[in-house]
Amino acid sequence: MVRPDLLRATKAIATHGRKQKWQAAISVFSKLHGTDDVSYGALISAIAKASKWNLAVNLLSEMRQHSLRASMSAITAATSACGRNLQWQLALSLVGSLPRPDAVAVCAAVDACGRGSAWEKGLALIAQAHRTKVRLDLSAWNAAATACVRGGSWSHALHILLRAIPSQKLIPDVFSFGAAIHACDKGSRWLLALDCLVIMHSRSLNPNSPCIGAVVSSCEKASQWEAALFMLSMGPKSITSAATVGA
């Protein structure tokens, strides 16, 4: 049975974490006489929210020294903190320590790879998760597509949008298309960027400003001013017409 004082302290640590008061969380934890995996997990999550990746990783190591097993959520939180600080190798190592990472953990590691310009490592992790029958959600696939964008691989980003996501019986959202459009912009594939907007329109998805901006940017690079100006002047309902103008 969990001690009442430990339970109260763990709740206080979690509350401080939600309020971004990681130092207060550490203060509560340091006053405990005896800790468990739950209190450690709460502190790691609180620290990870503040992007203190080194402290989070040190706490995971401390747990091992005390023969305590870190939860999936604690390792995922530390992974996310590592990713936000471009520590993608460490993020991969943390997720690799899990016997069977879930979709959220995989997503965090893939995002870390993307931020660290290691998009190929992120795709390899996606492939490994697929082989081990981990059911990835749309967020994980979007993270993979975004990693491809950061790595400049427009073809892989489009493959994820048009092939991989539908094969998993998932429906691409604005973020999925946005990643593909930005990849086309980086790859100077302005017609493909317009095609993505056409598909979005056919699925009643409203492109956000970054999507429109990326398409205009790709048209500008290809000196396709007519298509870009027509699309911007006539609005989202004319996306199909803009693609026709540019063809």
Side-chain angles (χ1 to χ4, degrees):
M1 184 176 180
V2 180
R3 297 187 342 246
D5 63 320
L6 189 56
L7 183 59
R8 286 193 298 270
T10 300
K11 288 182 178 180
I13 291 169
T15 299
H16 287 313
R18 287 191 294 271
K19 295 179 179 179
Q20 298 287 316
K21 296 180 178 180
W22 63 275
Q23 291 150 316
I26 291 177
S27 177
V28 172
F29 185 84
S30 65
K31 295 174 183 176
L32 285 171
H33 298 289
T35 55
D36 62 359
D37 54 343
V38 179
S39 57
Y40 262 104
L43 181 59
I44 290 170
S45 295
I47 288 174
K49 283 184 175 71
S51 294
K52 303 297 180 181
W53 66 272
N54 51 342
L55 292 178
V57 172
N58 287 341
L59 283 170
L60 287 174
S61 178
E62 192 175 299
M63 287 186 72
R64 287 192 295 271
Q65 293 173 10
H66 292 298
S67 299
L68 295 173
R69 178 175 294 181
S71 66
M72 182 90 69
S73 60
I75 292 177
T76 300
T79 300
S80 296
C82 288
R84 290 192 295 272
N85 287 275
L86 307 182
Q87 301 292 323
W88 65 269
Q89 297 99 327
L90 191 51
L92 279 180
S93 176
L94 289 175
V95 172
S97 69
L98 291 168
R100 184 180 171 81
D102 62 9
V104 180
V106 172
C107 181
V110 172
D111 179 68
C113 290
R115 292 173 185 268
S117 299
W119 64 274
E120 291 172 308
K121 296 288 187 181
L123 291 188
L125 184 58
I126 288 284
Q128 179 183 346
H130 186 65
R131 286 194 301 270
T132 55
K133 309 297 183 183
V134 176
R135 177 64 177 170
L136 298 176
D137 57 14
L138 186 59
S139 295
W141 288 107
N142 284 350
T146 301
C148 293
V149 173
R150 288 170 172 153
S153 180
W154 63 270
S155 60
H156 283 89
L158 280 179
H159 175 80
I160 290 171
L161 170 67
L162 300 176
R163 298 290 181 83
I165 291 177
S167 73
Q168 301 302 305
K169 295 181 171 49
L170 297 171
I171 301 175
D173 60 9
V174 172
F175 297 103
S176 312
F177 281 99
I181 290 171
H182 279 83
C184 291
D185 177 28
K186 286 194 173 185
S188 300
R189 297 297 192 274
W190 68 277
L191 270 176
L192 288 175
L194 277 176
D195 285 342
C196 286
L197 282 184
V198 171
I199 296 172
M200 290 182 73
H201 178 61
S202 70
R203 298 183 181 183
S204 300
L205 289 174
N206 294 320
N208 53 27
S209 296
C211 286
I212 299 295
V215 173
V216 172
S217 173
S218 65
C219 290
E220 177 186 2
K221 292 172 185 175
S223 298
Q224 297 294 328
W225 295 101
E226 187 178 3
L229 291 174
F230 183 84
M231 179 180 65
L232 288 176
S233 64
M234 300 302 291
K237 292 184 178 180
S238 312
I239 287 173
T240 304
S241 299
T244 303
V245 170

